Amino acid sequence: MARHLLHRLWQSALTLVLASIVVFAGIRALPGDPATAMAGEEADPATIQAVRARLGLDQPLPVQYLKFAGRALTGDLGVSTRTGTPVGELIRATLPVTVQLAVYAMAVAVLAGTTAGVLAAVFRGRWPEWAANALSLTALSVPTFWLGILAVLYLSVHLGWFPASGYVSPFDHPVRGLYYLTLPALILGLTHSAVLQRQTRASMTGTLSADFVRTARAKGLGGTAVVFRYGLRNSLIVVVTVVGLQLGGLIGGAVVTERIFTLPGIGKLTLDSVFTRDYPVVQAVVLVITASYIVINLLVDVLYTVIDPRIRVSGRSR
Amino acid sequence: MTTAAAATAAPDGALPGPGRTHGRALRTLVRNPMGVAGGILLLIVVLAGVLAPLLAPGPPTEVHFSTPFQQPATVGFPLGTDDLGRDILSRVLYGTRASLEVGVLSVLLAVVAGVPLGLLAGYWRWLDALVSRLADLMLAFPFLILAVGLAAINGGGLGNAAIALGIANVPAMIRVVRAETLRLAEADFVLAAHAMDAGPLRVLGRHILPNALSAIIVQATLVMPAAVLGEAVLSFLGLGIQPPDPSLGIMLSDAQNYLLRTPWPGVFPGLAIALICLGFNLFGDALRDALDPRTSGSGERS
């Protein structure tokens, strides 16, 4: 058990290091010289050279990488070339917004997805299964951003139920904050509920036809108790897996939702920095998103072993 | 758990088995109403895309400054016009064409890069460590971030969007093919081929690849809608197809700016994307059930 965890920890750390090298190399592969960009096109070669030396760009790439990695480990992610703001500050300002949105959306997805999945499994071959399947197929096919645009149009503009855009921190104004995040979270959550619905349904269908469930029924246990105490509990592992995989994806996938609802999250920061060619920010943001993705996957793995002791022995998952 | 593919494969290698398996799969597919519905939808969508130059009332980039924001069912503009008076029907048709192009190119790229790597990784252990690490590394990046990053490095445009989405889909393809190869490498007919002194390339090409085809096709049906959605997202964000080239994603991005004035330019492109993806998802689900009786419609990438 401890060995398995250590192994996974080591693996995640290695992946993170490799990912940071890829990101670092990728940014260097981009066209354009940051030193020239900072000094201006007409600057004389000496000035450009000075800027290059100040940025450390005159050193060999491996040295540059080690310096970058060393600073990143101490929390120093560099400075935005566009505004001069420390990147760490930018991320501290934007990441909470995205995390709030992702957690809220995941709550919506879990609630909608597992409910629909359980209903589909319990009422197999009857209309609830059809409805649940139709819903998940639609959610899989309809682009999130289109749903978002339509929701803004109808629910915000036409009916006036929700604000069309904007962000209020839930820590300052709990009710208003949640209210502002509700529509984005609903949209993001519903599109992510589809996979959950399918996995829950598949797993529940399997569990409900298992021998021990038949035994429980034969012993006179009621339908609801069987579904919740036996079925749902055994399907929990699937839910955790999918939630873990999706939560990681949600942090990155929030780019689009943040763009539609103009939320000041890390997705917006990513896009802004890509468009303004603010490479230190791009580099840091991609690294932070990837790191959170890796950490979440690691946590899911750990959570598995807690929920399902059988996995402790067999090791590798995902 | 003997699989259908392995069971029906001809052990002597004269004619690999999938021919027969696929015949049965086709019959299963035709009996599945959802699959048939998906197939018909797909046929319509593909025809609309391929025949766009014939079906479209006009060029997709032609502007009519005198008639912006026309409602649908206006004379001359069946689906109305956008802010520049461009015909929405033409733009949706050409946009569908672009979506399909990106989708097909991405699938091709994922297959061309992923299948050989998966075969090699599944067959040679020493390569497996390297290739699987590579796939793990690529999977460590969230799909959309990987695509956005690649698009940022390569720049916009249809081809680059397809490359970004194709590369983002390579690791999943590697995993699927590798798993199939690992499984098939232990099969009796492969051992028999080894016994008959068949070289590694012959074993991989004639015995393993044909039997892994089902899994590859199934994976491809997952890549296709993902790529179509991905193209729309990249273009919507301004990192995919560049204006004035028509793209469903760009149309939605434009429409968002004047949504209050007229909602229609924001409705039809999204509907087109949804129909394309619905077609592929329905057809893909049915194909999966038909080709692989072990699974029953689960396991998508988000």
Side-chain angles (χ1 to χ4, degrees), chain A residues 11 15 18-19 22-23 26 30 137 141 143 145-146 149 153 157 198-199 246 255-256 259-260 271 274-275 289-290 293 316 318, chain B residues 133 137 139-141 145 152-153 229 232-233 236-237 252 256 259-260 263 266-267 270-271 273-274 277-278 281-282 285 299-300:
Chain A
Q11 231 181 10
T15 313
L18 287 175
V22 170
V23 172
L30 287 171
L137 211 58
S141 305
F145 58 103
W146 185 50
I149 293 173
L153 188 65
V157 176
R198 293 183 153 209
Q199 300 281 16
Q246 294 204 324
V255 175
V256 182
R259 163 86 182 260
I260 294 169
L271 276 184
V274 164
F275 282 123
I289 293 176
T290 307
Y293 192 53
R316 281 198 60 133
R318 210 186 103 130
Chain B
R133 275 312 84 166
L137 179 60
L139 283 175
F141 294 95
I145 292 296
I153 293 174
L229 275 183
V233 168
F236 177 77
L237 297 176
L252 284 176
Q256 219 195 341
L259 213 49
L260 298 183
V267 171
L271 201 61
I273 300 172
C277 292
L278 189 66
N281 282 329
L282 276 173
D285 275 359
E300 287 79 12

Short mmCIF file of all heavy atoms in Angstrom, two decimals, chain A residues 11 15 18-19 22-23 26 30 137 141 143 145-146 149 153 157 198-199 246 255-256 259-260 271 274-275 289-290 293 316 318, chain B residues 133 137 139-141 145 152-153 229 232-233 236-237 252 256 259-260 263 266-267 270-271 273-274 277-278 281-282 285 299-300:
data_model
loop_
_atom_site.label_atom_id
_atom_site.label_comp_id
_atom_site.label_asym_id
_atom_site.label_seq_id
_atom_site.Cartn_x
_atom_site.Cartn_y
_atom_site.Cartn_z
N GLN A 11 5.93 8.73 -9.80
CA GLN A 11 5.50 8.80 -11.20
C GLN A 11 4.93 10.18 -11.53
O GLN A 11 5.26 10.77 -12.55
CB GLN A 11 4.42 7.75 -11.42
CG GLN A 11 4.68 6.87 -12.60
CD GLN A 11 3.57 5.87 -12.77
OE1 GLN A 11 2.53 5.95 -12.13
NE2 GLN A 11 3.78 4.92 -13.63
N THR A 15 6.32 12.91 -14.18
CA THR A 15 5.48 13.45 -15.25
C THR A 15 5.46 14.97 -15.21
O THR A 15 5.55 15.64 -16.25
CB THR A 15 4.04 12.92 -15.12
OG1 THR A 15 4.07 11.52 -14.91
CG2 THR A 15 3.24 13.23 -16.37
N LEU A 18 8.75 16.29 -16.57
CA LEU A 18 8.77 16.16 -18.03
C LEU A 18 7.84 17.18 -18.68
O LEU A 18 8.18 17.82 -19.66
CB LEU A 18 8.36 14.74 -18.43
CG LEU A 18 9.41 13.66 -18.17
CD1 LEU A 18 8.85 12.28 -18.48
CD2 LEU A 18 10.64 13.92 -19.03
N ALA A 19 6.65 17.34 -18.08
CA ALA A 19 5.69 18.30 -18.63
C ALA A 19 6.26 19.71 -18.59
O ALA A 19 6.09 20.48 -19.54
CB ALA A 19 4.38 18.23 -17.83
N VAL A 22 8.58 20.10 -21.43
CA VAL A 22 7.85 20.24 -22.69
C VAL A 22 7.32 21.67 -22.84
O VAL A 22 7.46 22.30 -23.88
CB VAL A 22 6.69 19.23 -22.77
CG1 VAL A 22 5.79 19.53 -23.95
CG2 VAL A 22 7.23 17.82 -22.88
N VAL A 23 6.73 22.18 -21.74
CA VAL A 23 6.18 23.53 -21.80
C VAL A 23 7.29 24.55 -22.06
O VAL A 23 7.17 25.42 -22.92
CB VAL A 23 5.46 23.87 -20.47
CG1 VAL A 23 5.06 25.33 -20.44
CG2 VAL A 23 4.25 22.99 -20.29
N GLY A 26 8.44 24.19 -25.56
CA GLY A 26 7.39 24.65 -26.46
C GLY A 26 7.37 26.17 -26.58
O GLY A 26 7.25 26.72 -27.68
N LEU A 30 8.34 28.97 -29.96
CA LEU A 30 7.44 29.95 -30.55
C LEU A 30 8.23 30.98 -31.35
O LEU A 30 9.36 31.32 -30.99
CB LEU A 30 6.65 30.67 -29.45
CG LEU A 30 5.55 29.86 -28.79
CD1 LEU A 30 5.01 30.61 -27.59
CD2 LEU A 30 4.44 29.60 -29.77
N LEU A 137 -26.89 11.88 -24.59
CA LEU A 137 -26.44 11.97 -25.98
C LEU A 137 -26.46 13.42 -26.44
O LEU A 137 -25.55 13.89 -27.13
CB LEU A 137 -27.37 11.12 -26.86
CG LEU A 137 -26.73 10.51 -28.08
CD1 LEU A 137 -25.57 9.62 -27.69
CD2 LEU A 137 -27.75 9.71 -28.86
N SER A 141 -23.26 15.89 -27.52
CA SER A 141 -23.17 16.42 -28.89
C SER A 141 -23.22 17.93 -28.95
O SER A 141 -22.64 18.54 -29.84
CB SER A 141 -24.30 15.84 -29.75
OG SER A 141 -24.28 14.44 -29.71
N PRO A 143 -22.32 21.60 -28.29
CA PRO A 143 -21.15 22.29 -27.77
C PRO A 143 -21.49 23.16 -26.56
O PRO A 143 -22.53 23.84 -26.57
CB PRO A 143 -20.69 23.17 -28.93
CG PRO A 143 -21.66 23.00 -30.03
CD PRO A 143 -22.72 22.06 -29.62
N PHE A 145 -20.29 25.89 -25.52
CA PHE A 145 -20.40 27.34 -25.71
C PHE A 145 -21.68 27.73 -26.42
O PHE A 145 -22.22 28.81 -26.18
CB PHE A 145 -19.16 27.89 -26.42
CG PHE A 145 -18.87 27.29 -27.76
CD1 PHE A 145 -19.17 27.98 -28.91
CD2 PHE A 145 -18.25 26.07 -27.85
CE1 PHE A 145 -18.88 27.45 -30.14
CE2 PHE A 145 -17.96 25.53 -29.09
CZ PHE A 145 -18.28 26.22 -30.23
N TRP A 146 -22.21 26.84 -27.25
CA TRP A 146 -23.48 27.16 -27.89
C TRP A 146 -24.60 27.16 -26.85
O TRP A 146 -25.43 28.06 -26.80
CB TRP A 146 -23.78 26.15 -29.00
CG TRP A 146 -25.00 26.47 -29.78
CD1 TRP A 146 -25.29 27.68 -30.34
CD2 TRP A 146 -26.09 25.60 -30.09
NE1 TRP A 146 -26.50 27.61 -30.99
CE2 TRP A 146 -27.01 26.34 -30.85
CE3 TRP A 146 -26.36 24.27 -29.79
CZ2 TRP A 146 -28.19 25.78 -31.32
CZ3 TRP A 146 -27.53 23.71 -30.26
CH2 TRP A 146 -28.44 24.47 -31.01
N ILE A 149 -24.38 30.29 -24.97
CA ILE A 149 -24.90 31.45 -25.68
C ILE A 149 -26.44 31.45 -25.65
O ILE A 149 -27.07 32.46 -25.37
CB ILE A 149 -24.40 31.44 -27.14
CG1 ILE A 149 -22.89 31.68 -27.17
CG2 ILE A 149 -25.12 32.49 -27.98
CD1 ILE A 149 -22.27 31.54 -28.53
N LEU A 153 -28.96 34.07 -23.85
CA LEU A 153 -30.00 34.71 -24.65
C LEU A 153 -31.37 34.55 -24.01
O LEU A 153 -32.12 35.52 -23.85
CB LEU A 153 -30.00 34.08 -26.05
CG LEU A 153 -30.89 34.76 -27.08
CD1 LEU A 153 -30.36 36.15 -27.35
CD2 LEU A 153 -30.91 33.94 -28.35
N VAL A 157 -31.17 37.28 -20.89
CA VAL A 157 -31.67 38.45 -21.60
C VAL A 157 -33.20 38.45 -21.68
O VAL A 157 -33.85 39.44 -21.36
CB VAL A 157 -31.06 38.52 -23.02
CG1 VAL A 157 -31.65 39.67 -23.79
CG2 VAL A 157 -29.55 38.63 -22.92
N ARG A 198 -23.60 7.90 -18.17
CA ARG A 198 -23.37 6.64 -18.87
C ARG A 198 -22.60 5.65 -17.99
O ARG A 198 -22.92 4.47 -17.94
CB ARG A 198 -22.58 6.90 -20.15
CG ARG A 198 -23.39 7.69 -21.13
CD ARG A 198 -22.62 7.86 -22.41
NE ARG A 198 -23.58 8.01 -23.48
CZ ARG A 198 -23.36 7.64 -24.73
NH1 ARG A 198 -22.21 7.12 -25.05
NH2 ARG A 198 -24.26 7.81 -25.65
N GLN A 199 -21.58 6.17 -17.32
CA GLN A 199 -20.77 5.27 -16.50
C GLN A 199 -21.56 4.75 -15.31
O GLN A 199 -21.49 3.57 -14.97
CB GLN A 199 -19.50 5.99 -16.01
CG GLN A 199 -18.62 6.49 -17.13
CD GLN A 199 -17.76 5.38 -17.73
OE1 GLN A 199 -18.02 4.22 -17.52
NE2 GLN A 199 -16.76 5.77 -18.49
N GLN A 246 -12.65 14.29 -14.87
CA GLN A 246 -13.32 15.45 -15.42
C GLN A 246 -12.94 16.73 -14.70
O GLN A 246 -12.87 17.78 -15.32
CB GLN A 246 -14.83 15.25 -15.37
CG GLN A 246 -15.27 14.14 -16.28
CD GLN A 246 -16.69 14.30 -16.69
OE1 GLN A 246 -17.51 14.76 -15.91
NE2 GLN A 246 -17.01 13.94 -17.91
N VAL A 255 -11.96 27.34 -19.98
CA VAL A 255 -11.55 28.42 -20.89
C VAL A 255 -12.75 28.99 -21.63
O VAL A 255 -12.97 30.21 -21.66
CB VAL A 255 -10.53 27.89 -21.92
CG1 VAL A 255 -10.19 28.96 -22.93
CG2 VAL A 255 -9.27 27.41 -21.23
N VAL A 256 -13.54 28.08 -22.21
CA VAL A 256 -14.65 28.51 -23.06
C VAL A 256 -15.75 29.15 -22.24
O VAL A 256 -16.27 30.22 -22.60
CB VAL A 256 -15.19 27.30 -23.84
CG1 VAL A 256 -16.30 27.73 -24.75
CG2 VAL A 256 -14.08 26.63 -24.60
N ARG A 259 -14.90 32.51 -21.12
CA ARG A 259 -14.95 33.46 -22.22
C ARG A 259 -16.39 33.94 -22.46
O ARG A 259 -16.64 35.13 -22.64
CB ARG A 259 -14.36 32.80 -23.47
CG ARG A 259 -14.69 33.46 -24.76
CD ARG A 259 -13.72 34.58 -25.07
NE ARG A 259 -14.08 35.23 -26.30
CZ ARG A 259 -13.49 34.97 -27.45
NH1 ARG A 259 -12.49 34.15 -27.51
NH2 ARG A 259 -13.89 35.57 -28.55
N ILE A 260 -17.33 33.00 -22.43
CA ILE A 260 -18.73 33.37 -22.71
C ILE A 260 -19.29 34.26 -21.62
O ILE A 260 -19.96 35.26 -21.89
CB ILE A 260 -19.59 32.11 -22.85
CG1 ILE A 260 -19.16 31.32 -24.07
CG2 ILE A 260 -21.07 32.47 -22.96
CD1 ILE A 260 -19.78 29.96 -24.12
N LEU A 271 -5.94 32.58 -22.37
CA LEU A 271 -6.24 33.12 -23.70
C LEU A 271 -5.60 34.48 -23.90
O LEU A 271 -4.96 34.75 -24.92
CB LEU A 271 -7.74 33.24 -23.88
CG LEU A 271 -8.48 31.99 -24.32
CD1 LEU A 271 -9.93 32.31 -24.55
CD2 LEU A 271 -7.85 31.43 -25.59
N VAL A 274 -1.97 34.13 -24.45
CA VAL A 274 -1.65 33.55 -25.75
C VAL A 274 -1.76 34.62 -26.83
O VAL A 274 -0.91 34.74 -27.70
CB VAL A 274 -2.58 32.36 -26.07
CG1 VAL A 274 -2.54 32.01 -27.55
CG2 VAL A 274 -2.18 31.14 -25.25
N PHE A 275 -2.84 35.41 -26.76
CA PHE A 275 -3.06 36.40 -27.82
C PHE A 275 -2.08 37.56 -27.76
O PHE A 275 -1.72 38.12 -28.79
CB PHE A 275 -4.50 36.94 -27.76
CG PHE A 275 -5.47 35.98 -28.36
CD1 PHE A 275 -6.54 35.50 -27.62
CD2 PHE A 275 -5.31 35.53 -29.66
CE1 PHE A 275 -7.43 34.59 -28.17
CE2 PHE A 275 -6.19 34.64 -30.22
CZ PHE A 275 -7.25 34.16 -29.47
N ILE A 289 -1.96 24.66 -14.71
CA ILE A 289 -3.13 23.85 -15.06
C ILE A 289 -2.73 22.37 -15.16
O ILE A 289 -3.42 21.49 -14.64
CB ILE A 289 -3.74 24.33 -16.39
CG1 ILE A 289 -4.34 25.73 -16.21
CG2 ILE A 289 -4.80 23.37 -16.87
CD1 ILE A 289 -4.87 26.33 -17.47
N THR A 290 -1.59 22.12 -15.81
CA THR A 290 -1.14 20.74 -15.94
C THR A 290 -0.82 20.13 -14.58
O THR A 290 -1.15 18.98 -14.30
CB THR A 290 0.10 20.68 -16.86
OG1 THR A 290 -0.20 21.35 -18.07
CG2 THR A 290 0.49 19.26 -17.17
N TYR A 293 -3.91 19.21 -12.83
CA TYR A 293 -4.46 18.02 -13.47
C TYR A 293 -3.77 16.77 -12.94
O TYR A 293 -4.40 15.78 -12.57
CB TYR A 293 -4.25 18.16 -14.97
CG TYR A 293 -4.99 17.19 -15.85
CD1 TYR A 293 -6.37 17.02 -15.73
CD2 TYR A 293 -4.33 16.47 -16.83
CE1 TYR A 293 -7.04 16.16 -16.57
CE2 TYR A 293 -4.99 15.61 -17.68
CZ TYR A 293 -6.36 15.45 -17.54
OH TYR A 293 -7.02 14.61 -18.37
N ARG A 316 -1.66 -0.47 -10.66
CA ARG A 316 -1.92 0.54 -11.70
C ARG A 316 -3.37 0.65 -12.11
O ARG A 316 -4.06 -0.33 -12.32
CB ARG A 316 -1.11 0.22 -12.95
CG ARG A 316 0.31 0.64 -12.84
CD ARG A 316 0.87 0.69 -14.23
NE ARG A 316 0.13 1.64 -15.04
CZ ARG A 316 0.73 2.53 -15.79
NH1 ARG A 316 2.01 2.61 -15.84
NH2 ARG A 316 0.01 3.37 -16.52
N ARG A 318 -6.22 3.59 -14.31
CA ARG A 318 -6.31 4.61 -15.34
C ARG A 318 -5.75 4.12 -16.65
O ARG A 318 -4.59 3.89 -16.81
CB ARG A 318 -5.59 5.89 -14.95
CG ARG A 318 -6.25 7.12 -15.59
CD ARG A 318 -5.43 8.31 -15.31
NE ARG A 318 -4.69 8.62 -16.54
CZ ARG A 318 -4.65 9.79 -17.09
NH1 ARG A 318 -5.29 10.76 -16.58
NH2 ARG A 318 -3.97 10.00 -18.19
N ARG B 133 5.42 6.08 -21.86
CA ARG B 133 5.77 7.30 -21.12
C ARG B 133 5.36 8.53 -21.91
O ARG B 133 4.81 9.48 -21.40
CB ARG B 133 7.28 7.37 -20.87
CG ARG B 133 7.91 6.67 -19.68
CD ARG B 133 7.25 6.90 -18.44
NE ARG B 133 6.16 5.94 -18.38
CZ ARG B 133 5.47 5.66 -17.32
NH1 ARG B 133 5.69 6.27 -16.23
NH2 ARG B 133 4.51 4.77 -17.35
N LEU B 137 2.77 11.27 -20.83
CA LEU B 137 3.17 12.67 -20.76
C LEU B 137 2.15 13.55 -21.50
O LEU B 137 1.74 14.60 -21.01
CB LEU B 137 4.56 12.84 -21.36
CG LEU B 137 5.12 14.25 -21.38
CD1 LEU B 137 5.23 14.80 -19.97
CD2 LEU B 137 6.48 14.26 -22.05
N LEU B 139 -0.91 12.81 -22.10
CA LEU B 139 -2.20 12.77 -21.39
C LEU B 139 -2.15 13.61 -20.12
O LEU B 139 -3.18 13.89 -19.52
CB LEU B 139 -2.58 11.33 -21.07
CG LEU B 139 -3.12 10.52 -22.23
CD1 LEU B 139 -3.34 9.09 -21.82
CD2 LEU B 139 -4.42 11.12 -22.75
N ALA B 140 -0.93 13.98 -19.69
CA ALA B 140 -0.82 14.80 -18.49
C ALA B 140 -1.32 16.22 -18.75
O ALA B 140 -1.65 16.95 -17.83
CB ALA B 140 0.62 14.85 -18.01
N PHE B 141 -1.38 16.60 -20.04
CA PHE B 141 -1.93 17.91 -20.37
C PHE B 141 -3.42 17.76 -20.63
O PHE B 141 -3.82 16.88 -21.38
CB PHE B 141 -1.27 18.47 -21.63
CG PHE B 141 0.18 18.78 -21.46
CD1 PHE B 141 1.14 17.86 -21.83
CD2 PHE B 141 0.58 19.98 -20.92
CE1 PHE B 141 2.48 18.13 -21.67
CE2 PHE B 141 1.92 20.26 -20.77
CZ PHE B 141 2.87 19.34 -21.14
N ILE B 145 -6.18 22.31 -23.27
CA ILE B 145 -4.96 23.10 -23.07
C ILE B 145 -3.89 22.67 -24.07
O ILE B 145 -3.18 23.50 -24.64
CB ILE B 145 -4.45 22.92 -21.62
CG1 ILE B 145 -5.43 23.57 -20.64
CG2 ILE B 145 -3.07 23.51 -21.44
CD1 ILE B 145 -5.57 25.06 -20.79
N ALA B 152 -1.41 27.71 -30.51
CA ALA B 152 -0.68 28.95 -30.27
C ALA B 152 0.71 28.88 -30.89
O ALA B 152 1.21 29.86 -31.43
CB ALA B 152 -0.58 29.22 -28.77
N ILE B 153 1.34 27.70 -30.82
CA ILE B 153 2.68 27.55 -31.38
C ILE B 153 2.62 27.57 -32.91
O ILE B 153 3.39 28.25 -33.58
CB ILE B 153 3.33 26.24 -30.89
CG1 ILE B 153 3.60 26.33 -29.39
CG2 ILE B 153 4.62 25.95 -31.64
CD1 ILE B 153 4.11 25.06 -28.77
N LEU B 229 -15.98 19.16 -32.41
CA LEU B 229 -16.21 20.09 -31.30
C LEU B 229 -14.96 20.92 -31.03
O LEU B 229 -15.04 22.12 -30.79
CB LEU B 229 -16.57 19.32 -30.03
CG LEU B 229 -18.02 18.93 -29.81
CD1 LEU B 229 -18.19 18.25 -28.47
CD2 LEU B 229 -18.91 20.16 -29.86
N ALA B 232 -14.56 23.71 -33.48
CA ALA B 232 -15.49 24.79 -33.18
C ALA B 232 -14.98 25.62 -32.01
O ALA B 232 -15.02 26.85 -32.04
CB ALA B 232 -16.87 24.22 -32.87
N VAL B 233 -14.47 24.93 -30.98
CA VAL B 233 -13.98 25.65 -29.80
C VAL B 233 -12.75 26.49 -30.15
O VAL B 233 -12.69 27.68 -29.83
CB VAL B 233 -13.63 24.65 -28.67
CG1 VAL B 233 -12.84 25.35 -27.58
CG2 VAL B 233 -14.89 24.05 -28.09
N PHE B 236 -13.81 29.34 -32.23
CA PHE B 236 -14.58 30.26 -31.40
C PHE B 236 -13.64 31.14 -30.58
O PHE B 236 -13.86 32.33 -30.42
CB PHE B 236 -15.49 29.45 -30.46
CG PHE B 236 -16.29 30.28 -29.49
CD1 PHE B 236 -17.41 30.96 -29.92
CD2 PHE B 236 -15.92 30.36 -28.16
CE1 PHE B 236 -18.15 31.73 -29.03
CE2 PHE B 236 -16.65 31.13 -27.28
CZ PHE B 236 -17.77 31.81 -27.71
N LEU B 237 -12.55 30.53 -30.10
CA LEU B 237 -11.60 31.27 -29.29
C LEU B 237 -10.64 32.11 -30.14
O LEU B 237 -9.86 32.89 -29.61
CB LEU B 237 -10.78 30.31 -28.42
CG LEU B 237 -11.55 29.50 -27.38
CD1 LEU B 237 -10.64 28.52 -26.69
CD2 LEU B 237 -12.20 30.42 -26.37
N LEU B 252 -20.37 31.49 -34.45
CA LEU B 252 -20.94 31.64 -33.10
C LEU B 252 -20.26 32.77 -32.34
O LEU B 252 -20.91 33.52 -31.61
CB LEU B 252 -20.79 30.33 -32.33
CG LEU B 252 -21.77 29.23 -32.72
CD1 LEU B 252 -21.48 27.95 -31.97
CD2 LEU B 252 -23.20 29.68 -32.43
N GLN B 256 -22.24 36.17 -31.07
CA GLN B 256 -22.32 36.58 -29.67
C GLN B 256 -22.28 38.10 -29.54
O GLN B 256 -22.84 38.67 -28.60
CB GLN B 256 -21.15 35.96 -28.90
CG GLN B 256 -21.56 35.49 -27.53
CD GLN B 256 -20.37 35.21 -26.65
OE1 GLN B 256 -19.26 35.04 -27.13
NE2 GLN B 256 -20.60 35.17 -25.37
N LEU B 259 -26.00 39.40 -30.43
CA LEU B 259 -27.06 38.47 -30.04
C LEU B 259 -28.35 39.19 -29.69
O LEU B 259 -29.45 38.70 -29.93
CB LEU B 259 -26.57 37.68 -28.83
CG LEU B 259 -27.03 36.24 -28.69
CD1 LEU B 259 -26.83 35.48 -29.98
CD2 LEU B 259 -26.26 35.57 -27.57
N LEU B 260 -28.21 40.40 -29.11
CA LEU B 260 -29.40 41.12 -28.67
C LEU B 260 -30.20 41.63 -29.86
O LEU B 260 -31.41 41.77 -29.79
CB LEU B 260 -29.01 42.30 -27.77
CG LEU B 260 -28.30 41.88 -26.50
CD1 LEU B 260 -28.00 43.09 -25.63
CD2 LEU B 260 -29.17 40.86 -25.74
N PRO B 263 -31.08 36.89 -32.77
CA PRO B 263 -30.52 35.65 -32.21
C PRO B 263 -30.17 34.60 -33.27
O PRO B 263 -29.38 33.72 -33.02
CB PRO B 263 -31.65 35.13 -31.32
CG PRO B 263 -32.89 35.69 -31.91
CD PRO B 263 -32.52 37.00 -32.54
N GLY B 266 -26.80 33.05 -34.18
CA GLY B 266 -26.21 32.25 -33.11
C GLY B 266 -26.87 30.89 -32.97
O GLY B 266 -26.39 30.06 -32.21
N VAL B 267 -27.97 30.69 -33.65
CA VAL B 267 -28.71 29.44 -33.48
C VAL B 267 -28.26 28.38 -34.48
O VAL B 267 -27.91 27.26 -34.11
CB VAL B 267 -30.23 29.68 -33.61
CG1 VAL B 267 -30.99 28.37 -33.65
CG2 VAL B 267 -30.71 30.55 -32.46
N GLY B 270 -24.64 26.54 -34.27
CA GLY B 270 -24.60 25.62 -33.13
C GLY B 270 -25.40 24.36 -33.41
O GLY B 270 -24.98 23.25 -33.08
N LEU B 271 -26.56 24.57 -34.05
CA LEU B 271 -27.40 23.44 -34.41
C LEU B 271 -26.65 22.50 -35.35
O LEU B 271 -26.70 21.28 -35.22
CB LEU B 271 -28.68 23.95 -35.08
CG LEU B 271 -29.88 23.02 -35.08
CD1 LEU B 271 -30.29 22.70 -33.65
CD2 LEU B 271 -31.04 23.64 -35.84
N ILE B 273 -23.35 22.11 -35.59
CA ILE B 273 -22.33 21.37 -34.83
C ILE B 273 -22.99 20.23 -34.07
O ILE B 273 -22.51 19.09 -34.08
CB ILE B 273 -21.61 22.30 -33.82
CG1 ILE B 273 -20.92 23.45 -34.54
CG2 ILE B 273 -20.59 21.52 -33.00
CD1 ILE B 273 -20.36 24.50 -33.60
N ALA B 274 -24.11 20.54 -33.40
CA ALA B 274 -24.79 19.52 -32.60
C ALA B 274 -25.23 18.35 -33.47
O ALA B 274 -25.07 17.19 -33.08
CB ALA B 274 -25.99 20.14 -31.89
N CYS B 277 -22.19 16.20 -34.52
CA CYS B 277 -21.70 15.38 -33.40
C CYS B 277 -22.72 14.32 -33.01
O CYS B 277 -22.35 13.18 -32.71
CB CYS B 277 -21.39 16.27 -32.20
SG CYS B 277 -19.98 17.32 -32.50
N LEU B 278 -24.00 14.68 -33.05
CA LEU B 278 -25.03 13.69 -32.72
C LEU B 278 -24.96 12.53 -33.69
O LEU B 278 -25.05 11.36 -33.30
CB LEU B 278 -26.41 14.36 -32.76
CG LEU B 278 -27.56 13.52 -32.23
CD1 LEU B 278 -27.40 13.29 -30.74
CD2 LEU B 278 -28.91 14.18 -32.50
N ASN B 281 -21.92 10.48 -32.81
CA ASN B 281 -22.08 9.79 -31.53
C ASN B 281 -23.06 8.63 -31.63
O ASN B 281 -22.80 7.54 -31.13
CB ASN B 281 -22.53 10.77 -30.44
CG ASN B 281 -21.37 11.61 -29.93
OD1 ASN B 281 -20.23 11.15 -29.92
ND2 ASN B 281 -21.65 12.83 -29.53
N LEU B 282 -24.21 8.87 -32.29
CA LEU B 282 -25.20 7.81 -32.44
C LEU B 282 -24.62 6.65 -33.23
O LEU B 282 -24.69 5.49 -32.83
CB LEU B 282 -26.43 8.35 -33.18
CG LEU B 282 -27.50 9.06 -32.37
CD1 LEU B 282 -28.53 9.65 -33.31
CD2 LEU B 282 -28.16 8.11 -31.41
N ASP B 285 -21.77 4.90 -31.29
CA ASP B 285 -22.29 4.04 -30.23
C ASP B 285 -22.74 2.70 -30.80
O ASP B 285 -22.40 1.63 -30.28
CB ASP B 285 -23.49 4.70 -29.54
CG ASP B 285 -23.03 5.65 -28.44
OD1 ASP B 285 -21.80 5.74 -28.23
OD2 ASP B 285 -23.89 6.27 -27.80
N GLY B 299 -17.34 4.90 -21.72
CA GLY B 299 -15.92 5.19 -21.83
C GLY B 299 -15.54 6.25 -22.82
O GLY B 299 -14.65 6.07 -23.64
N GLU B 300 -16.19 7.42 -22.76
CA GLU B 300 -15.78 8.50 -23.65
C GLU B 300 -14.73 9.35 -22.97
O GLU B 300 -14.65 9.41 -21.75
CB GLU B 300 -16.97 9.40 -24.01
CG GLU B 300 -17.95 8.77 -24.97
CD GLU B 300 -18.86 7.81 -24.25
OE1 GLU B 300 -18.87 7.82 -23.00
OE2 GLU B 300 -19.53 7.04 -24.92
#
